[in-house]
Amino acid sequence: MRRRGLPLNFLLLGPLSVRLNAREVHVSAPRQRVVMAALLLNANRVISVDRITEYVWDGAPPPSAAATVRTYVMRLRQSLGEHASARILTRAPGYLLELGEHESDLGQFTAHRRRAAELAERGDLEGSSAALAEALALWREEPLADIPSRTLRDVEGRYLQELRLQTMELRFDTELALLRHAEIVPELVRLVREHPLREALVGKLMLALFRSGRQSEALDLYRRTRVLLVEQLGAEPGADLREVHRHILSAHDRPRTPDPQERPAPAAETAAAPAVATVRDRSWPDPAQLPSVPLPLSARSDALARVRHFLTTGTMPAGMVATAVVTGRGGVGKSALALHAAHTMRGSSVHGQLYADLGGAERPLTAREVLPRFLADLGVPRDEIPGEESERESLYRSLTAGRRLLVVLDNASGAAQVRPLIPGSGGSRLLVTSRRRLADLEGARTLLLGPLDEAGSLELLGSVVGTARVGGEPRAARTVVTVCAGLPLAIRIAGTRLLERPHWSIGHLARRLTDAPRLLDELCAGDAGVRPCLDAEVAGLRRSAPGGIDPAEVLAALGAAGASSVSGGEVAVMFGCPEAQAEEALDSLVGANLLGAPAGGRYRLDALLRAYARERAQAVAVRRHGRSYMRAG
């Protein structure tokens, strides 16, 4: 593996620095440091070039921003050296930095937090507290202080600071459970002075003061905090803080000092600490909305395992929901894979499963349309569903917080469509399918689902027409799946046509597919077709930059040339433009699943994409001929 034998450590929980082989590498150029920080903070996830440009130019990128970012990445690779630079991978629509968990202080911090949660679940509060202390010891100064990007500091810096505060709160909870209230009072006093409106910290300090025999100070702190909240926010203290106040007034949790020999039980805190999750009425229904799916393919078993791993492995930071995105071209089997994964996880989503088909880019549903149904499915009477969209979102988060639901959002067109439907933090999980990569959906782990290989394609064809029929004509069956380019939708359509015409041999279908003047006309059955999927991808294309070339025109030009592969330089010659503009257009086609990702500097078109590109070229020629005829007339 590339990582083995290379001492490498990125430090983010303070000023950014890189240590390679016990020497420190300094990235001096300010904008390169912004790019480096953006890659590190999204380690092992693709971060789009658009997002990087937002960070580098604070929301006002110049027209040449994408090309300049590529230059910055190239220089970063040079600064890091051969082995470390190989970790920065080009992945549409941007870049991905491969990084092991223990190769950054942020990764180590997350690992300590996860270990603390595991120990707490086993009842080892001493070990949990020690793990949280180790996590917090990794912090040095203000994170990202030396990164000259207001946008990145606002987004990522605030996230890191919030993560630190939440970790401190977890440690205080553990220390309170261990009856070490007196020891944590000084640190809590300092933090409450810095964050006087953070009610969770105020509540823990009130409880620690009260247990230390300082009831009047605890009550005075509540009074002062309430005045601040009313004056500055116009709001009364929240339910959790009021509950601590009530406990103190009733002396329910009497102050005490533990005996040195005493080992407190893990549940010692539960009678006094504010409730972590709202107690819900058991009459709430448990929705079970997952559609049925065909039998799973063994060829997709690895992808299925990865999706399950994304959603079930590790502990999410407080306030986040485990999210997986399955992405790929239309017809590749995203929905089937996601639903298979969802069905296998029904036992762990004990409060039910919510499902919505968001309609894709052709007929997108908004959260305004989906939320009322979700709320009704969760037990809210129709006449009690709020009319205001923001109130609906708040109610949805409140009802799902602390529950273990699985929410499946199929066929999403963008991250903005998904965000209002993310369940409240707790044990819920979110599974999304989309033709787009949704790189701007924060915290999501993405699986790019590719076409089936030959064995998987033959397995799918056999599941439709019967394995005996496929085994009887192996060469013709291979021809059919090759023309279908491993696309499950195309293979199912081919199989359906054979089922509808039992007098056809597979060889007859193979000849029709290979000889057809318009291949996509052959790949239609009922309301299913390959062409509508590709039309939808073209409809979502945008000119990549002002003054750039139109990606749809590039696709048509490739069809006219009959190209099966192309380079950026060749397209630049075709259109008489700079190679950077040509690559921007080609990358847009890759992002829209209308071109294969580059390998060896060449972008490839499979049989289906070549057929579609030819159709686009013919349509362009007909329009031009029509215009010429009209002018001549």
Side-chain angles (χ1 to χ4, degrees):
M1 294 292 289
R2 197 158 43 222
R3 292 179 182 146
R4 191 171 296 161
L6 178 66
L8 173 65
N9 193 20
F10 292 93
L11 304 181
L12 292 120
L13 304 180
L16 177 67
S17 64
V18 187
R19 292 176 184 167
L20 299 172
N21 295 315
R23 68 183 178 87
E24 186 157 321
V25 175
H26 182 57
V27 180
S28 57
R31 286 178 174 170
Q32 289 180 43
R33 279 208 310 279
V34 176
V35 176
M36 186 80 255
L39 290 170
L40 285 167
L41 290 162
N42 293 273
N44 303 311
R45 298 196 303 268
V46 175
I47 178 169
S48 67
V49 171
D50 288 345
R51 176 63 64 88
I52 294 173
T53 61
E54 288 290 314
Y55 289 156
V56 172
W57 285 279
D58 273 327
S64 61
T68 306
V69 166
R70 284 200 294 272
T71 301
Y72 290 159
V73 172
M74 177 191 71
R75 290 174 180 168
L76 275 176
R77 286 170 169 156
Q78 293 171 347
S79 300
L80 294 175
E82 178 183 356
H83 295 289
S85 67
R87 307 286 191 87
I88 303 177
L89 308 178
T90 302
R91 290 283 186 271
Y95 298 94
L96 178 147
L97 175 64
E98 286 187 337
L99 201 62
E101 186 172 59
H102 294 283
E103 292 180 323
S104 73
D105 53 5
L106 181 57
Q108 295 168 33
F109 174 82
T110 303
H112 285 311
R113 273 182 53 119
R114 185 170 60 251
R115 173 68 174 160
E118 292 168 354
L119 291 169
E121 285 183 5
R122 296 203 297 262
D124 183 1
L125 296 185
E126 289 278 3
S128 180
S129 178
L132 291 170
E134 287 184 66
L136 292 165
L138 292 167
W139 291 76
R140 295 167 291 141
E141 303 170 31
E142 181 183 349
L144 310 180
D146 60 339
I147 304 299
S149 169
R150 184 186 67 256
T151 304
L152 188 140
R153 288 197 304 272
D154 284 348
V155 175
E156 302 288 0
R158 289 184 182 181
Y159 163 74
L160 291 175
Q161 292 287 19
E162 177 65 21
L163 196 59
R164 183 185 191 186
L165 279 171
Q166 289 180 0
T167 305
M168 296 176 85
E169 290 170 356
L170 288 173
R171 187 175 68 83
F172 291 138
D173 284 338
T174 308
E175 294 293 287
L176 285 168
L178 291 166
L179 301 180
R180 296 173 182 160
H181 34 266
E183 289 91 329
I184 63 174
V185 165
E187 189 175 3
L188 275 168
V189 168
R190 179 178 60 80
L191 282 171
V192 168
R193 283 176 179 164
E194 293 176 6
H195 307 278
L197 299 178
R198 194 172 181 95
E199 294 183 47
L201 285 175
V202 172
K204 296 177 203 313
L205 177 54
M206 287 172 60
L207 189 59
L209 288 169
F210 176 61
R211 287 184 176 182
S212 302
R214 300 161 65 175
Q215 179 173 344
S216 61
E217 292 179 60
L219 294 173
D220 183 60
L221 173 61
Y222 179 82
R223 181 189 59 77
R224 288 185 282 111
T225 302
R226 180 181 178 277
V227 170
L228 273 176
L229 288 168
V230 172
E231 288 181 348
Q232 297 192 24
L233 303 180
E236 290 287 338
D240 287 349
L241 192 58
R242 293 198 305 272
E243 181 68 9
V244 176
H245 184 238
R246 187 184 67 78
H247 275 295
I248 293 173
L249 288 174
S250 63
H252 183 79
D253 185 27
R254 296 190 177 279
R256 55 166 296 191
T257 302
D259 185 89
Q261 303 302 316
E262 180 182 0
R263 296 184 63 82
E269 187 190 13
T270 57
V276 175
T278 305
V279 178
R280 288 178 175 79
D281 185 343
R282 293 296 179 187
S283 65
W284 289 122
D286 295 337
Q289 301 177 347
L290 299 178
S292 61
V293 284
L295 290 172
L297 296 172
S298 60
R300 292 298 199 201
S301 57
D302 287 347
L304 183 63
R306 287 188 65 192
V307 173
R308 285 179 50 83
H309 176 79
F310 288 169
L311 291 173
T312 60
T313 302
T315 302
M316 293 300 296
M320 296 188 69
V321 172
T323 302
V325 176
V326 181
T327 184
R329 64 194 288 188
V332 81
K334 304 179 295 295
S335 298
L337 180 72
L339 287 171
H340 280 307
H343 277 286
T344 65
M345 295 171 59
R346 289 182 64 178
S348 60
S349 52
V350 295
H351 294 117
Q353 308 87 38
L354 292 169
Y355 171 85
D357 182 349
L358 299 184
E362 306 94 290
R363 43 184 176 81
L365 289 180
T366 64
R368 178 185 293 275
E369 297 169 281
V370 176
L371 275 175
R373 177 166 68 78
F374 274 8
L375 291 171
D377 295 335
L378 290 169
V380 180
R382 291 278 182 181
D383 58 356
E384 293 181 18
I385 294 175
E388 288 291 329
E389 192 167 359
S390 60
E391 293 179 8
R392 288 177 182 174
E393 292 177 22
S394 297
L395 180 58
Y396 172 67
R397 287 192 295 269
S398 298
L399 287 178
T400 54
R403 302 182 80 183
R404 294 171 61 187
L405 285 158
L406 175 62
V407 180
V408 181
L409 302 178
D410 198 12
N411 212 9
S413 61
Q417 190 185 23
V418 171
R419 287 192 187 98
L421 301 172
I422 297 174
S425 61
S428 292
R429 302 181 181 99
L430 176 65
L431 179 53
V432 184
T433 72
S434 177
R435 293 176 184 174
R436 300 291 179 251
R437 286 167 174 79
L438 305 191
D440 53 341
L441 186 61
E442 294 79 3
R445 304 181 71 181
T446 302
L447 172 69
L448 176 59
L449 193 62
L452 294 167
D453 59 15
E454 183 179 89
S457 298
L458 291 171
E459 178 191 357
L460 176 56
L461 183 61
S463 72
V464 178
V465 303
T467 54
R469 197 170 177 184
V470 170
E473 297 182 78
R475 180 175 297 179
R478 284 197 295 272
T479 300
V480 169
V481 299
T482 298
V483 174
C484 290
L487 191 71
L489 173 64
I491 296 168
R492 288 188 185 279
I493 290 173
T496 300
R497 297 198 70 190
L498 287 170
L499 283 180
E500 291 173 342
R501 298 163 178 82
H503 57 284
W504 279 13
S505 66
I506 298 179
H508 177 73
L509 176 63
R511 287 189 294 275
R512 289 182 66 95
L513 293 177
T514 53
D515 297 341
R518 287 171 64 88
L519 170 62
L520 301 185
D521 287 344
E522 295 290 328
L523 292 173
C524 295
D527 60 351
V530 174
R531 185 184 288 111
C533 289
L534 297 171
D535 286 339
E537 302 289 14
V538 170
L541 279 173
R542 295 194 305 268
R543 192 179 294 267
S544 50
I549 57 177
D550 188 342
E553 292 182 7
V554 173
L555 182 64
L558 297 179
S564 60
S565 70
V566 71
S567 69
E570 290 167 350
V571 171
V573 171
M574 286 182 188
F575 284 84
C577 68
E579 188 169 339
Q581 285 187 2
E583 288 186 352
E584 287 285 348
L586 290 169
D587 286 341
S588 293
L589 290 171
V590 173
N593 304 301
L594 292 165
L595 203 59
R602 300 193 69 79
Y603 300 77
R604 304 190 183 279
L605 295 88
D606 60 35
L608 298 178
L609 292 175
R610 289 198 300 275
Y612 185 70
R614 281 195 300 272
E615 289 189 10
R616 302 282 302 181
Q618 291 164 2
V620 169
V622 167
R623 287 197 299 271
R624 287 175 178 168
H625 178 73
R627 287 196 294 270
S628 299
Y629 180 81
M630 292 290 290
R631 286 196 297 271

